[in-house]
C-alpha cells in the first residue's frame, strides 16, 4: 500500500466532502447517514442515495404530468409529490433539494402553476447536480479502498 | 416486508432493553431503508413494512413477539393515525408500544398521538441518538 497516495486521496476526499457541506448541498442528516454505514454494510449510503435519486426521477415525472395542462392541474397530486420529495430529501440530507421543496409547497398551496413549474425545474436541476457530486464522492471512496486505505470519518461542525 | 435479523451491536450503554423486535412502517423506500438501518445499528431486530395491513399482519404472528412499532405519521395514501388506532383496537393499550415519527411539532399532532395511545414521538428527520434514547425511555416506562 502506497501510504503517500492513500493519504493524498484521503485528503482529497475530506476536502471534497467538506465543500459539499459548505456549499449547502448536504446537511447534518447526511452525516447521520454515514454513521449508519459500517464494515457490515459498506454500501449503505450509496444504496440509500440511489433509492433517493430514483424517487426524485419518478416523482418529478409524475408531477410534471400533473402540471402539464394548465386547465386541469391536479394540485393535490403535486402537493403529495412535493411532500414525499421533501420527506426523503430531508432523510438523506439533500439540503438544496429540500429547500426547493419548501418553496414548491408554497406555490402549490396557492395553486400557482407557473411557480410550481419553476420549482419543478429547479428541483430537477438540484437533484441531478447532487447526483453528480455524490458520484464523484463515491468514486474517491473507491479509489481510497482500492489503494488499500480506509475512508476517513469526518466531523462536520 | 423484510425480516431483519441483524446481529446485536456492542453499544457503550447496551443492555437487553433494546434487543427487541420492532416493526417499522414507512411509505417510501428511502425512509423505510434509513429507519430500518438506524434501528439495526442500535441493536434491534427489525421488520420493515410499507402498509397498515402488513403491519397488522406482522403483529398477529405469534412466533414473533414484536415489542414496538415505529410508525411514520405522514404517509401519502395512508393515515398513520388510523393504523395506530387499529393497533390499539386489536391489541390493546399496553402492547405493542407505538412510537410515531412526525415532521410536525404542532400541538394538535401531539394531542392526537396521546389520544391514539401512542407512547412516544420523534421528529423527522430522525437522528440516531434520538431514536436510541426515545426507544429506551418508552421501553423503560413500559416495564415500570
Amino acid at each position: 500500500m502506497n501510504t503517500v497516495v492513500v493519504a493524498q486521496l484521503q485528503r482529497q476526499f475530506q476536502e471534497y466532502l467538506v465543500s459539499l457541506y459548505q456549499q449547502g448541498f448536504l446537511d447534518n442528516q447526511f452525516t447521520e447517514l454515514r454513521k449508519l454505514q459500517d464494515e457490515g454494510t459498506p454500501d449503505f449510503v450509496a444504496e440509500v442515495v440511489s433509492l433517493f435519486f430514483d424517487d426524485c426521477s419518478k416523482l418529478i415525472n409524475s408531477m410534471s404530468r400533473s402540471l402539464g395542462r394548465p386547465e386541469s392541474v391536479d394540485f393535490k397530486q403535486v402537493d403529495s409529490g412535493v411532500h414525499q420529495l421533501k420527506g426523503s430529501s430531508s432523510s438523506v440530507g439533500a439540503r438544496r433539494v429540500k429547500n426547493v421543496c419548501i418553496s414548491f409547497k408554497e406555490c402549490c398551496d396557492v395553486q400557482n402553476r407557473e411557480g410550481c413549474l419553476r420549482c419543478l425545474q429547479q428541483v430537477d436541476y438540484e437533484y441531478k447536480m447532487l447526483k453528480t457530486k455524490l458520484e464523484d464522492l463515491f468514486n474517491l471512496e473507491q479509489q481510497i479502498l482500492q489503494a488499500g486505505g480506509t475512508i476517513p470519518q469526518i466531523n462536520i461542525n | 416486508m423484510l425480516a431483519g435479523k441483524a446481529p446485536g451491536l456492542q453499544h457503550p450503554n447496551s443492555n437487553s432493553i433494546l434487543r427487541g423486535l420492532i416493526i417499522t412502517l414507512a411509505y417510501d423506500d428511502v425512509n423505510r431503508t434509513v429507519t430500518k438501518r438506524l434501528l439495526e445499528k442500535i441493536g434491534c431486530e427489525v421488520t420493515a413494512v410499507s402498509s397498515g395491513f402488513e403491519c397488522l399482519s406482522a403483529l398477529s404472528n405469534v412466533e414473533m413477539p414484536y415489542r414496538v412499532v415505529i410508525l411514520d405519521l405522514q404517509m401519502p395514501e395512508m393515515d398513520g393515525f388510523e393504523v395506530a388506532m387499529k393497533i390499539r383496537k386489536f391489541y390493546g393499550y399496553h402492547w405493542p408500544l407505538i412510537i410515531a415519527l412526525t415532521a410536525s411539532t404542532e400541538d394538535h399532532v401531539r394531542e392526537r398521538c396521546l389520544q391514539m395511545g401512542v407512547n412516544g414521538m420523534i421528529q423527522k428527520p430522525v437522528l440516531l441518538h434520538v431514536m436510541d434514547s426515545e426507544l429506551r425511555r418508552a421501553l423503560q416506562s413500559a416495564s415500570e
Side-chain angles (χ1 to χ4, degrees):
Chain A
M1 174 174 92
N2 186 333
T3 47
V4 174
V5 169
V6 168
Q8 235 167 29
L9 287 169
Q10 285 174 330
R11 216 186 61 220
Q12 241 186 299
F13 171 81
Q14 173 149 353
E15 282 169 5
Y16 193 62
L17 183 57
V18 170
S19 77
L20 292 179
Y21 283 89
Q22 286 175 338
Q23 290 168 54
F25 286 103
L26 299 172
D27 64 29
N28 183 55
Q29 201 57 26
F30 189 76
T31 314
E32 290 290 305
L33 218 64
R34 293 191 79 224
K35 283 187 201 167
L36 299 178
Q37 181 166 296
D38 55 33
E39 310 82 53
T41 55
D43 303 313
F44 177 70
V45 178
E47 281 169 6
V48 173
V49 302
S50 174
L51 283 173
F52 170 64
F53 294 135
D54 284 347
D55 265 6
C56 286
S57 173
K58 271 184 261 171
L59 289 168
I60 289 170
N61 281 337
S62 70
M63 286 191 285
S64 181
R65 281 194 302 273
S66 299
L67 288 164
R69 283 171 22 225
E71 67 279 8
S72 58
V73 177
D74 186 353
F75 281 107
K76 212 172 145 214
Q77 199 280 336
V78 179
D79 184 74
S80 170
V82 177
H83 181 89
Q84 264 190 269
L85 205 50
K86 179 160 179 256
S88 48
S89 61
S90 173
S91 302
V92 305
R95 186 172 166 274
R96 287 197 189 181
V97 177
K98 183 190 75 174
N99 285 340
V100 178
C101 289
I102 295 172
S103 315
F104 203 156
K105 177 150 188 11
E106 288 168 6
C107 292
C108 224
D109 288 345
V110 299
Q111 305 208 336
N112 175 358
R113 180 175 174 266
E114 287 304 313
C116 282
L117 285 168
R118 277 196 302 273
C119 288
L120 187 70
Q121 201 168 29
Q122 225 190 322
V123 102
D124 188 65
Y125 171 81
E126 289 297 346
Y127 103 81
K128 284 173 176 165
M129 175 73 112
L130 180 62
K131 190 167 181 214
T132 313
K133 299 280 180 185
L134 289 180
E135 272 165 6
D136 290 343
L137 187 75
F138 296 144
N139 221 314
L140 277 169
E141 277 190 348
Q142 283 311 306
Q143 286 181 53
I144 294 172
L145 294 172
Q146 274 161 24
T150 53
I151 317 289
Q153 269 308 323
I154 294 162
N155 241 333
I156 312 281
N157 281 316
Chain B
M1 180 162 107
L2 311 158
K5 286 246 169 213
L9 289 147
Q10 276 314 100
H11 196 263
N13 303 312
S14 186
N15 54 43
S16 63
I17 202 168
L18 279 185
R19 307 254 166 128
L21 281 175
I22 304 221
I23 298 176
T24 177
L25 168 52
Y27 183 77
D28 69 83
D29 295 337
V30 173
N31 283 307
R32 207 163 50 246
T33 307
V34 173
T35 310
K36 177 171 191 276
R37 177 68 197 133
L38 200 153
L39 290 163
E40 286 172 350
K41 187 79 181 175
I42 58 184
C44 309
E45 282 189 45
V46 189
T47 300
V49 301
S50 55
S51 74
F53 176 74
E54 279 186 72
C55 184
L56 292 167
S57 295
L59 284 169
S60 68
N61 184 349
V62 293
E63 316 245 327
M64 306 269 271
Y66 291 104
R67 297 171 71 191
V68 186
V69 175
I70 310 283
L71 181 57
D72 188 337
L73 286 182
Q74 281 104 14
M75 294 180 282
E77 301 177 37
M78 200 192 324
D79 185 349
F81 286 113
E82 210 185 291
V83 177
M85 209 166 66
K86 287 205 171 111
I87 292 173
R88 289 287 167 246
K89 181 177 167 189
F90 291 129
Y91 298 101
Y93 274 81
H94 300 290
W95 169 94
L97 296 182
I98 300 176
I99 295 185
L101 303 184
T102 174
S104 162
T105 47
E106 289 165 42
D107 286 332
H108 75 268
V109 173
R110 178 158 231 105
E111 269 184 38
R112 241 189 128 188
C113 280
L114 288 171
Q115 277 172 9
M116 295 288 155
V118 168
N119 305 93
M121 277 175 70
I122 299 177
Q123 232 195 306
K124 293 193 289 189
V126 184
L127 298 173
L128 188 58
H129 75 271
V130 173
M131 176 69 91
D132 188 301
S133 54
E134 183 63 1
L135 256 181
R136 287 177 190 276
R137 184 204 61 76
L139 287 165
Q140 206 121 49
S141 49
S143 64
E144 280 155 13

